[in-house]
Amino acid sequence: MIKRTAEVVLSVIGMLFGMVTLFGFTAIGFILDKAINKPGGADAFTEDYYKQLKESGIPVSEVPSAKQILDMVHTYAILALIAAIIFTVLVIIGLVCITGNKKPVLAGFMFLIAGILVTIGGFVVAGFVPGLLLVIAAILSFVRKPKDPFAI
């Protein structure tokens, strides 16, 4: 029986970091969306947006409009929430499969998919650390094999 402590520790730490990343992006998006939906919120954002563009010397024709920015933030908040839920489910399935060395290959695939998902969903930079931890756990799940009891 091979112990899978390294895989469990790496995946739990990766899951916690990934949940903070994805749920954090979700919360920020929904908080901004809620602030925009208050009376005068969208107007204040639009005014500040175009004021900052003018101060920076960036032509308005080269950047998305304020409404497009708000739509992107709202869409990303929903996608980050969906990614966070799928990510959490994948890691939990992987943890269940790796404990007791039941199905380490399946657990490795779950960790690998979750690592890719959190890296992409966390804008690569914020999701890099949890993604890396989960990919390492996946590699360990694939590579470490139990010793053959009949080998000399």
Side-chain angles (χ1 to χ4, degrees):
M1 179 72 135
I2 188 168
K3 292 187 178 186
R4 298 287 185 170
T5 307
E7 290 91 331
V8 171
V9 169
L10 287 171
S11 60
V12 167
I13 293 171
M15 181 176 76
L16 294 176
F17 283 170
M19 287 174 62
V20 167
T21 301
L22 292 174
F23 282 119
F25 280 134
T26 301
I28 290 169
F30 284 132
I31 289 169
L32 180 61
D33 195 41
K34 185 177 179 183
I36 295 302
N37 288 330
K38 288 184 179 179
D43 295 333
F45 175 79
T46 303
E47 187 178 306
D48 288 341
Y49 178 72
Y50 289 117
K51 180 180 160 190
Q52 290 296 322
L53 286 176
K54 187 176 182 180
E55 287 177 3
S56 300
I58 300 172
V60 176
S61 61
E62 293 183 8
V63 294
S65 70
K67 181 171 178 10
Q68 288 174 324
I69 296 289
L70 294 174
D71 288 343
M72 284 188 280
V73 168
H74 178 74
T75 302
Y76 181 72
I78 293 171
L79 290 176
L81 178 63
I82 293 168
I85 293 168
I86 293 170
F87 166 78
T88 305
V89 169
L90 287 173
V91 175
I92 289 173
I93 291 171
L95 283 169
V96 168
C97 291
I98 200 74
T99 52
N101 204 19
K102 294 176 201 148
K103 297 179 181 178
V105 174
L106 177 63
F109 280 116
M110 295 294 124
F111 294 150
L112 186 63
I113 294 168
I116 293 169
L117 181 67
V118 74
T119 302
I120 293 170
F123 286 129
V124 178
V125 175
F128 178 74
V129 172
L132 181 65
L133 292 172
L134 288 166
V135 168
I136 292 170
I139 291 169
L140 287 174
S141 297
F142 293 139
V143 173
R144 294 176 65 194
K145 302 287 183 206
K147 294 179 182 175
D148 186 12
F150 300 109
I152 297 177

